[in-house]
Structures are given as structure tokens and as C-alpha cells.
Amino acid sequence: MINAKDFPKDAPILIITDGWIEPDLKIKRDHAFLIPRGHHLPFKAKGKIFYFTEN
């Protein structure tokens, strides 16, 4: 839960992970994931997934 006073209650969240994340994660607001190309999440994501590569 986000409790920062200056963070809007309806703002979307960007979750940056290597894919090693809780398989039963539940997020109740708009969100997206940023993960390295070639990795995957242990569940079907409801939010968008963005992949990155190092150059």
C-alpha cells in the first residue's frame, strides 16, 4: 500500500522486477511491469508488460 501524502491515490504504478515476484500478487490500481527481455512473470499479468534490454 502506498501511503505517501504527495502520491495521488489514482496514479498508475510501474513495477520494475526481474520476474522473481510473488505468484499471488494482487494490484488494485492501473499498473504496468518493466522486466528484462527474456524474463517472464509467474502469472498472467492484467497490466501491460514492457521489456528492456541493456545496450
Side-chain angles (χ1 to χ4, degrees):
M1 179 178 228
I2 299 170
N3 294 320
K5 293 178 183 178
D6 60 344
F7 193 86
K9 292 182 181 189
D10 58 350
I13 298 173
L14 177 63
I15 301 159
I16 303 170
T17 179
D18 60 1
W20 290 91
I21 192 168
E22 294 84 4
D24 58 350
L25 183 68
K26 295 191 184 359
I27 305 164
K28 296 183 179 184
R29 59 170 71 197
D30 287 333
H31 62 281
F33 294 94
L34 178 63
I35 63 175
R37 184 156 308 282
H39 290 226
H40 64 277
L41 297 169
F43 50 81
K44 182 174 176 157
K46 292 184 180 178
K48 292 183 179 182
I49 302 176
F50 297 95
Y51 297 95
F52 69 91
T53 57
E54 292 186 41
N55 291 334

Short mmCIF file of all heavy atoms in Angstrom, two decimals:
data_model
loop_
_atom_site.label_atom_id
_atom_site.label_comp_id
_atom_site.label_asym_id
_atom_site.label_seq_id
_atom_site.Cartn_x
_atom_site.Cartn_y
_atom_site.Cartn_z
N MET A 1 0.84 -1.17 0.00
CA MET A 1 0.00 0.00 0.00
C MET A 1 0.89 1.24 0.00
O MET A 1 1.88 1.32 0.71
CB MET A 1 -0.91 -0.02 1.22
CG MET A 1 -1.79 1.18 1.30
SD MET A 1 -2.87 1.04 2.73
CE MET A 1 -4.38 1.44 1.98
N ILE A 2 0.52 2.21 -0.78
CA ILE A 2 1.28 3.45 -0.88
C ILE A 2 0.65 4.47 0.06
O ILE A 2 -0.53 4.77 -0.03
CB ILE A 2 1.30 3.97 -2.33
CG1 ILE A 2 1.97 2.92 -3.22
CG2 ILE A 2 2.01 5.29 -2.41
CD1 ILE A 2 1.84 3.20 -4.67
N ASN A 3 1.44 5.00 0.96
CA ASN A 3 0.93 5.95 1.94
C ASN A 3 1.55 7.33 1.82
O ASN A 3 1.34 8.16 2.68
CB ASN A 3 1.18 5.42 3.36
CG ASN A 3 0.38 4.16 3.63
OD1 ASN A 3 -0.76 4.05 3.24
ND2 ASN A 3 0.99 3.21 4.30
N ALA A 4 2.31 7.58 0.77
CA ALA A 4 2.95 8.89 0.62
C ALA A 4 1.88 9.96 0.40
O ALA A 4 0.99 9.81 -0.43
CB ALA A 4 3.92 8.87 -0.55
N LYS A 5 1.97 11.03 1.15
CA LYS A 5 0.96 12.10 1.06
C LYS A 5 0.97 12.80 -0.29
O LYS A 5 -0.05 13.31 -0.72
CB LYS A 5 1.19 13.11 2.18
CG LYS A 5 0.93 12.54 3.55
CD LYS A 5 1.23 13.55 4.63
CE LYS A 5 1.03 12.91 5.99
NZ LYS A 5 1.35 13.82 7.08
N ASP A 6 2.12 12.82 -0.96
CA ASP A 6 2.21 13.51 -2.24
C ASP A 6 2.02 12.58 -3.45
O ASP A 6 2.23 12.98 -4.58
CB ASP A 6 3.53 14.25 -2.35
CG ASP A 6 4.73 13.32 -2.25
OD1 ASP A 6 4.56 12.17 -1.81
OD2 ASP A 6 5.84 13.76 -2.59
N PHE A 7 1.63 11.34 -3.22
CA PHE A 7 1.38 10.39 -4.31
C PHE A 7 -0.13 10.29 -4.54
O PHE A 7 -0.87 9.92 -3.63
CB PHE A 7 1.93 9.00 -3.96
CG PHE A 7 1.99 8.07 -5.14
CD1 PHE A 7 3.08 8.09 -5.99
CD2 PHE A 7 0.96 7.20 -5.40
CE1 PHE A 7 3.14 7.24 -7.08
CE2 PHE A 7 1.01 6.34 -6.49
CZ PHE A 7 2.10 6.37 -7.33
N PRO A 8 -0.61 10.65 -5.74
CA PRO A 8 -2.06 10.63 -6.00
C PRO A 8 -2.66 9.23 -5.81
O PRO A 8 -2.08 8.23 -6.21
CB PRO A 8 -2.17 11.07 -7.46
CG PRO A 8 -0.87 11.75 -7.75
CD PRO A 8 0.15 11.11 -6.88
N LYS A 9 -3.83 9.19 -5.20
CA LYS A 9 -4.48 7.90 -4.91
C LYS A 9 -4.88 7.13 -6.16
O LYS A 9 -5.03 5.92 -6.11
CB LYS A 9 -5.70 8.13 -4.03
CG LYS A 9 -5.32 8.61 -2.66
CD LYS A 9 -6.51 8.79 -1.77
CE LYS A 9 -6.04 9.29 -0.42
NZ LYS A 9 -7.04 9.31 0.58
N ASP A 10 -5.07 7.82 -7.28
CA ASP A 10 -5.48 7.12 -8.51
C ASP A 10 -4.36 7.05 -9.54
O ASP A 10 -4.58 6.70 -10.69
CB ASP A 10 -6.70 7.80 -9.11
CG ASP A 10 -6.48 9.27 -9.42
OD1 ASP A 10 -5.44 9.82 -9.01
OD2 ASP A 10 -7.35 9.86 -10.07
N ALA A 11 -3.13 7.35 -9.12
CA ALA A 11 -2.00 7.31 -10.06
C ALA A 11 -1.63 5.87 -10.39
O ALA A 11 -1.72 4.98 -9.55
CB ALA A 11 -0.79 8.01 -9.44
N PRO A 12 -1.24 5.62 -11.64
CA PRO A 12 -0.79 4.27 -12.00
C PRO A 12 0.57 3.96 -11.37
O PRO A 12 1.31 4.85 -10.98
CB PRO A 12 -0.69 4.33 -13.53
CG PRO A 12 -0.48 5.77 -13.83
CD PRO A 12 -1.19 6.54 -12.76
N ILE A 13 0.89 2.67 -11.31
CA ILE A 13 2.13 2.21 -10.70
C ILE A 13 2.95 1.46 -11.74
O ILE A 13 2.41 0.65 -12.50
CB ILE A 13 1.83 1.27 -9.52
CG1 ILE A 13 1.06 2.01 -8.44
CG2 ILE A 13 3.10 0.68 -8.94
CD1 ILE A 13 0.59 1.11 -7.32
N LEU A 14 4.25 1.72 -11.77
CA LEU A 14 5.18 0.96 -12.60
C LEU A 14 5.96 0.04 -11.68
O LEU A 14 6.65 0.49 -10.77
CB LEU A 14 6.13 1.88 -13.36
CG LEU A 14 7.19 1.17 -14.21
CD1 LEU A 14 6.52 0.35 -15.31
CD2 LEU A 14 8.16 2.18 -14.79
N ILE A 15 5.85 -1.26 -11.93
CA ILE A 15 6.54 -2.26 -11.12
C ILE A 15 7.75 -2.74 -11.90
O ILE A 15 7.61 -3.31 -12.98
CB ILE A 15 5.60 -3.43 -10.78
CG1 ILE A 15 4.40 -2.89 -10.03
CG2 ILE A 15 6.33 -4.50 -9.98
CD1 ILE A 15 3.20 -3.78 -10.05
N ILE A 16 8.93 -2.49 -11.37
CA ILE A 16 10.18 -2.89 -12.02
C ILE A 16 10.67 -4.15 -11.32
O ILE A 16 10.89 -4.14 -10.12
CB ILE A 16 11.22 -1.76 -11.92
CG1 ILE A 16 10.65 -0.47 -12.54
CG2 ILE A 16 12.52 -2.18 -12.61
CD1 ILE A 16 11.49 0.75 -12.29
N THR A 17 10.82 -5.23 -12.08
CA THR A 17 11.19 -6.51 -11.50
C THR A 17 12.02 -7.32 -12.49
O THR A 17 11.98 -7.08 -13.69
CB THR A 17 9.93 -7.30 -11.07
OG1 THR A 17 10.33 -8.56 -10.53
CG2 THR A 17 8.99 -7.54 -12.23
N ASP A 18 12.74 -8.30 -11.95
CA ASP A 18 13.46 -9.23 -12.81
C ASP A 18 12.61 -10.45 -13.13
O ASP A 18 13.05 -11.37 -13.79
CB ASP A 18 14.78 -9.65 -12.17
CG ASP A 18 14.59 -10.33 -10.83
OD1 ASP A 18 13.45 -10.49 -10.38
OD2 ASP A 18 15.61 -10.69 -10.21
N GLY A 19 11.36 -10.46 -12.64
CA GLY A 19 10.47 -11.59 -12.87
C GLY A 19 10.31 -12.46 -11.65
O GLY A 19 9.36 -13.23 -11.55
N TRP A 20 11.24 -12.37 -10.71
CA TRP A 20 11.13 -13.12 -9.46
C TRP A 20 10.23 -12.31 -8.54
O TRP A 20 10.69 -11.42 -7.82
CB TRP A 20 12.51 -13.33 -8.84
CG TRP A 20 13.34 -14.29 -9.62
CD1 TRP A 20 14.19 -13.99 -10.64
CD2 TRP A 20 13.36 -15.70 -9.46
NE1 TRP A 20 14.75 -15.13 -11.12
CE2 TRP A 20 14.27 -16.20 -10.41
CE3 TRP A 20 12.71 -16.60 -8.62
CZ2 TRP A 20 14.53 -17.56 -10.54
CZ3 TRP A 20 13.00 -17.94 -8.75
CH2 TRP A 20 13.89 -18.40 -9.69
N ILE A 21 8.95 -12.61 -8.59
CA ILE A 21 7.95 -11.83 -7.86
C ILE A 21 6.90 -12.79 -7.32
O ILE A 21 6.74 -13.90 -7.83
CB ILE A 21 7.34 -10.76 -8.81
CG1 ILE A 21 6.53 -9.73 -8.08
CG2 ILE A 21 6.55 -11.40 -9.92
CD1 ILE A 21 6.16 -8.53 -8.92
N GLU A 22 6.21 -12.39 -6.29
CA GLU A 22 5.20 -13.26 -5.68
C GLU A 22 4.18 -13.71 -6.71
O GLU A 22 3.63 -12.90 -7.44
CB GLU A 22 4.47 -12.52 -4.55
CG GLU A 22 5.33 -12.17 -3.37
CD GLU A 22 6.11 -10.87 -3.58
OE1 GLU A 22 5.92 -10.20 -4.61
OE2 GLU A 22 6.93 -10.55 -2.72
N PRO A 23 3.90 -15.01 -6.79
CA PRO A 23 2.96 -15.51 -7.80
C PRO A 23 1.51 -15.12 -7.52
O PRO A 23 0.68 -15.20 -8.42
CB PRO A 23 3.14 -17.03 -7.75
CG PRO A 23 3.74 -17.30 -6.42
CD PRO A 23 4.53 -16.09 -6.04
N ASP A 24 1.21 -14.68 -6.32
CA ASP A 24 -0.17 -14.31 -5.99
C ASP A 24 -0.33 -12.80 -5.77
O ASP A 24 -1.21 -12.35 -5.06
CB ASP A 24 -0.65 -15.07 -4.76
CG ASP A 24 0.22 -14.83 -3.54
OD1 ASP A 24 1.31 -14.22 -3.68
OD2 ASP A 24 -0.16 -15.24 -2.44
N LEU A 25 0.53 -12.00 -6.42
CA LEU A 25 0.49 -10.55 -6.29
C LEU A 25 -0.84 -10.00 -6.81
O LEU A 25 -1.30 -10.37 -7.89
CB LEU A 25 1.64 -9.93 -7.09
CG LEU A 25 1.80 -8.43 -7.01
CD1 LEU A 25 2.23 -8.02 -5.61
CD2 LEU A 25 2.81 -7.96 -8.03
N LYS A 26 -1.47 -9.13 -6.05
CA LYS A 26 -2.72 -8.51 -6.45
C LYS A 26 -2.55 -7.00 -6.39
O LYS A 26 -2.16 -6.45 -5.37
CB LYS A 26 -3.85 -8.94 -5.54
CG LYS A 26 -4.12 -10.44 -5.65
CD LYS A 26 -5.39 -10.81 -4.94
CE LYS A 26 -5.71 -12.26 -4.92
NZ LYS A 26 -4.90 -13.21 -5.53
N ILE A 27 -2.84 -6.34 -7.50
CA ILE A 27 -2.69 -4.89 -7.61
C ILE A 27 -4.06 -4.32 -7.99
O ILE A 27 -4.63 -4.72 -9.00
CB ILE A 27 -1.63 -4.52 -8.65
CG1 ILE A 27 -0.33 -5.22 -8.32
CG2 ILE A 27 -1.46 -3.02 -8.73
CD1 ILE A 27 0.65 -5.24 -9.42
N LYS A 28 -4.55 -3.39 -7.20
CA LYS A 28 -5.91 -2.90 -7.40
C LYS A 28 -6.00 -1.59 -8.17
O LYS A 28 -7.07 -1.05 -8.31
CB LYS A 28 -6.59 -2.74 -6.04
CG LYS A 28 -6.76 -4.06 -5.33
CD LYS A 28 -7.48 -3.91 -4.03
CE LYS A 28 -7.64 -5.26 -3.36
NZ LYS A 28 -8.41 -5.20 -2.14
N ARG A 29 -4.91 -1.09 -8.68
CA ARG A 29 -4.95 0.15 -9.47
C ARG A 29 -4.26 -0.09 -10.81
O ARG A 29 -3.64 -1.12 -11.02
CB ARG A 29 -4.33 1.32 -8.71
CG ARG A 29 -2.89 1.10 -8.33
CD ARG A 29 -2.23 2.35 -7.81
NE ARG A 29 -2.71 2.72 -6.51
CZ ARG A 29 -2.54 3.92 -5.97
NH1 ARG A 29 -1.89 4.85 -6.62
NH2 ARG A 29 -3.00 4.20 -4.78
N ASP A 30 -4.39 0.88 -11.72
CA ASP A 30 -3.72 0.74 -13.01
C ASP A 30 -2.23 0.54 -12.78
O ASP A 30 -1.63 1.19 -11.92
CB ASP A 30 -3.93 1.99 -13.86
CG ASP A 30 -5.35 2.08 -14.39
OD1 ASP A 30 -6.00 1.04 -14.56
OD2 ASP A 30 -5.79 3.22 -14.66
N HIS A 31 -1.65 -0.36 -13.56
CA HIS A 31 -0.24 -0.66 -13.38
C HIS A 31 0.37 -1.23 -14.65
O HIS A 31 -0.35 -1.60 -15.58
CB HIS A 31 -0.06 -1.67 -12.24
CG HIS A 31 -0.72 -2.98 -12.49
ND1 HIS A 31 -2.06 -3.18 -12.32
CD2 HIS A 31 -0.22 -4.17 -12.92
CE1 HIS A 31 -2.36 -4.43 -12.62
NE2 HIS A 31 -1.26 -5.04 -13.00
N ALA A 32 1.69 -1.29 -14.66
CA ALA A 32 2.45 -1.92 -15.74
C ALA A 32 3.70 -2.52 -15.11
O ALA A 32 4.11 -2.14 -14.02
CB ALA A 32 2.83 -0.90 -16.80
N PHE A 33 4.28 -3.47 -15.82
CA PHE A 33 5.51 -4.13 -15.37
C PHE A 33 6.62 -3.78 -16.34
O PHE A 33 6.42 -3.72 -17.55
CB PHE A 33 5.33 -5.65 -15.35
CG PHE A 33 4.34 -6.13 -14.33
CD1 PHE A 33 3.02 -6.34 -14.67
CD2 PHE A 33 4.74 -6.37 -13.02
CE1 PHE A 33 2.10 -6.79 -13.74
CE2 PHE A 33 3.84 -6.82 -12.07
CZ PHE A 33 2.51 -7.02 -12.44
N LEU A 34 7.82 -3.61 -15.80
CA LEU A 34 9.02 -3.41 -16.60
C LEU A 34 9.98 -4.53 -16.21
O LEU A 34 10.40 -4.63 -15.06
CB LEU A 34 9.64 -2.04 -16.31
CG LEU A 34 10.94 -1.72 -17.04
CD1 LEU A 34 10.71 -1.68 -18.54
CD2 LEU A 34 11.50 -0.38 -16.56
N ILE A 35 10.27 -5.42 -17.18
CA ILE A 35 11.13 -6.57 -16.89
C ILE A 35 12.15 -6.75 -18.02
O ILE A 35 11.93 -6.31 -19.15
CB ILE A 35 10.32 -7.87 -16.68
CG1 ILE A 35 9.56 -8.27 -17.94
CG2 ILE A 35 9.36 -7.74 -15.53
CD1 ILE A 35 8.85 -9.60 -17.80
N PRO A 36 13.27 -7.39 -17.71
CA PRO A 36 14.28 -7.63 -18.74
C PRO A 36 13.75 -8.58 -19.83
O PRO A 36 13.02 -9.53 -19.54
CB PRO A 36 15.43 -8.31 -17.98
CG PRO A 36 15.17 -8.05 -16.53
CD PRO A 36 13.70 -7.89 -16.40
N ARG A 37 14.12 -8.29 -21.06
CA ARG A 37 13.75 -9.17 -22.17
C ARG A 37 14.28 -10.57 -21.90
O ARG A 37 15.37 -10.74 -21.40
CB ARG A 37 14.31 -8.65 -23.49
CG ARG A 37 13.86 -9.49 -24.66
CD ARG A 37 13.86 -8.78 -25.97
NE ARG A 37 13.17 -7.51 -26.05
CZ ARG A 37 11.85 -7.34 -26.15
NH1 ARG A 37 11.07 -8.37 -26.13
NH2 ARG A 37 11.34 -6.13 -26.24
N GLY A 38 13.45 -11.57 -22.14
CA GLY A 38 13.83 -12.96 -21.89
C GLY A 38 13.34 -13.47 -20.55
O GLY A 38 13.38 -14.66 -20.30
N HIS A 39 12.89 -12.59 -19.68
CA HIS A 39 12.34 -13.00 -18.39
C HIS A 39 10.81 -13.00 -18.50
O HIS A 39 10.25 -12.46 -19.45
CB HIS A 39 12.77 -12.03 -17.29
CG HIS A 39 14.22 -12.12 -16.96
ND1 HIS A 39 14.68 -12.16 -15.67
CD2 HIS A 39 15.32 -12.19 -17.74
CE1 HIS A 39 15.99 -12.24 -15.67
NE2 HIS A 39 16.41 -12.26 -16.93
N HIS A 40 10.16 -13.59 -17.53
CA HIS A 40 8.71 -13.63 -17.54
C HIS A 40 8.17 -13.55 -16.11
O HIS A 40 8.91 -13.74 -15.15
CB HIS A 40 8.19 -14.88 -18.24
CG HIS A 40 8.58 -16.14 -17.54
ND1 HIS A 40 9.82 -16.74 -17.72
CD2 HIS A 40 7.94 -16.90 -16.63
CE1 HIS A 40 9.87 -17.82 -16.95
NE2 HIS A 40 8.76 -17.93 -16.28
N LEU A 41 6.89 -13.27 -16.01
CA LEU A 41 6.23 -13.22 -14.71
C LEU A 41 5.63 -14.58 -14.40
O LEU A 41 5.27 -15.33 -15.32
CB LEU A 41 5.12 -12.16 -14.74
CG LEU A 41 5.59 -10.73 -14.98
CD1 LEU A 41 4.40 -9.81 -15.24
CD2 LEU A 41 6.40 -10.23 -13.80
N PRO A 42 5.48 -14.94 -13.12
CA PRO A 42 4.92 -16.25 -12.76
C PRO A 42 3.39 -16.29 -12.79
O PRO A 42 2.79 -17.19 -12.23
CB PRO A 42 5.46 -16.46 -11.33
CG PRO A 42 5.57 -15.09 -10.79
CD PRO A 42 5.99 -14.23 -11.95
N PHE A 43 2.78 -15.31 -13.44
CA PHE A 43 1.31 -15.24 -13.53
C PHE A 43 0.94 -14.48 -14.79
O PHE A 43 1.79 -13.83 -15.41
CB PHE A 43 0.71 -14.55 -12.29
CG PHE A 43 1.35 -13.23 -11.97
CD1 PHE A 43 1.00 -12.07 -12.64
CD2 PHE A 43 2.34 -13.14 -11.00
CE1 PHE A 43 1.60 -10.86 -12.35
CE2 PHE A 43 2.95 -11.94 -10.69
CZ PHE A 43 2.56 -10.80 -11.37
N LYS A 44 -0.32 -14.55 -15.17
CA LYS A 44 -0.80 -13.78 -16.32
C LYS A 44 -1.07 -12.36 -15.84
O LYS A 44 -1.90 -12.14 -14.96
CB LYS A 44 -2.07 -14.41 -16.89
CG LYS A 44 -2.56 -13.69 -18.10
CD LYS A 44 -3.72 -14.38 -18.75
CE LYS A 44 -4.17 -13.48 -19.88
NZ LYS A 44 -4.88 -14.16 -20.90
N ALA A 45 -0.36 -11.42 -16.39
CA ALA A 45 -0.47 -10.02 -15.95
C ALA A 45 -1.74 -9.37 -16.49
O ALA A 45 -2.11 -9.59 -17.64
CB ALA A 45 0.74 -9.23 -16.43
N LYS A 46 -2.39 -8.59 -15.65
CA LYS A 46 -3.55 -7.80 -16.08
C LYS A 46 -3.09 -6.46 -16.64
O LYS A 46 -3.75 -5.89 -17.48
CB LYS A 46 -4.51 -7.60 -14.92
CG LYS A 46 -5.18 -8.89 -14.51
CD LYS A 46 -6.20 -8.64 -13.42
CE LYS A 46 -6.85 -9.97 -13.02
NZ LYS A 46 -7.82 -9.81 -11.95
N GLY A 47 -1.97 -5.96 -16.15
CA GLY A 47 -1.41 -4.71 -16.65
C GLY A 47 -0.51 -4.97 -17.85
O GLY A 47 -0.22 -6.12 -18.20
N LYS A 48 -0.07 -3.90 -18.47
CA LYS A 48 0.84 -4.02 -19.61
C LYS A 48 2.22 -4.48 -19.12
O LYS A 48 2.60 -4.23 -17.99
CB LYS A 48 0.96 -2.69 -20.33
CG LYS A 48 -0.30 -2.28 -21.03
CD LYS A 48 -0.10 -1.00 -21.80
CE LYS A 48 -1.38 -0.62 -22.51
NZ LYS A 48 -1.21 0.59 -23.31
N ILE A 49 2.96 -5.13 -20.03
CA ILE A 49 4.33 -5.54 -19.74
C ILE A 49 5.24 -4.87 -20.75
O ILE A 49 5.02 -4.95 -21.95
CB ILE A 49 4.48 -7.07 -19.83
CG1 ILE A 49 3.54 -7.76 -18.87
CG2 ILE A 49 5.93 -7.47 -19.56
CD1 ILE A 49 3.55 -9.28 -18.98
N PHE A 50 6.26 -4.21 -20.24
CA PHE A 50 7.27 -3.59 -21.07
C PHE A 50 8.58 -4.30 -20.81
O PHE A 50 8.92 -4.60 -19.66
CB PHE A 50 7.41 -2.10 -20.75
CG PHE A 50 6.16 -1.31 -21.03
CD1 PHE A 50 5.25 -1.06 -20.01
CD2 PHE A 50 5.89 -0.83 -22.29
CE1 PHE A 50 4.09 -0.34 -20.26
CE2 PHE A 50 4.73 -0.12 -22.56
CZ PHE A 50 3.83 0.13 -21.53
N TYR A 51 9.31 -4.60 -21.89
CA TYR A 51 10.59 -5.30 -21.77
C TYR A 51 11.72 -4.35 -22.11
O TYR A 51 11.56 -3.45 -22.92
CB TYR A 51 10.63 -6.49 -22.74
CG TYR A 51 9.57 -7.53 -22.42
CD1 TYR A 51 8.35 -7.52 -23.07
CD2 TYR A 51 9.81 -8.52 -21.49
CE1 TYR A 51 7.38 -8.46 -22.77
CE2 TYR A 51 8.86 -9.48 -21.19
CZ TYR A 51 7.64 -9.44 -21.84
OH TYR A 51 6.69 -10.38 -21.55
N PHE A 52 12.87 -4.55 -21.47
CA PHE A 52 14.03 -3.73 -21.81
C PHE A 52 15.24 -4.62 -22.03
O PHE A 52 15.30 -5.75 -21.55
CB PHE A 52 14.30 -2.69 -20.72
CG PHE A 52 14.80 -3.27 -19.42
CD1 PHE A 52 16.15 -3.42 -19.19
CD2 PHE A 52 13.90 -3.64 -18.42
CE1 PHE A 52 16.62 -3.94 -17.98
CE2 PHE A 52 14.36 -4.16 -17.22
CZ PHE A 52 15.71 -4.31 -17.00
N THR A 53 16.19 -4.09 -22.77
CA THR A 53 17.47 -4.76 -22.98
C THR A 53 18.57 -3.75 -22.64
O THR A 53 18.38 -2.55 -22.75
CB THR A 53 17.66 -5.21 -24.43
OG1 THR A 53 17.53 -4.08 -25.30
CG2 THR A 53 16.64 -6.26 -24.83
N GLU A 54 19.70 -4.27 -22.21
CA GLU A 54 20.83 -3.41 -21.93
C GLU A 54 21.64 -3.25 -23.22
O GLU A 54 21.83 -4.19 -23.95
CB GLU A 54 21.70 -4.01 -20.84
CG GLU A 54 21.02 -4.03 -19.50
CD GLU A 54 21.95 -4.51 -18.40
OE1 GLU A 54 23.13 -4.09 -18.42
OE2 GLU A 54 21.50 -5.26 -17.56
N ASN A 55 22.06 -2.07 -23.48
CA ASN A 55 22.86 -1.81 -24.69
C ASN A 55 24.30 -1.60 -24.34
O ASN A 55 24.72 -1.15 -23.40
CB ASN A 55 22.34 -0.58 -25.44
CG ASN A 55 20.99 -0.88 -26.05
OD1 ASN A 55 20.67 -2.01 -26.33
ND2 ASN A 55 20.22 0.15 -26.24
#
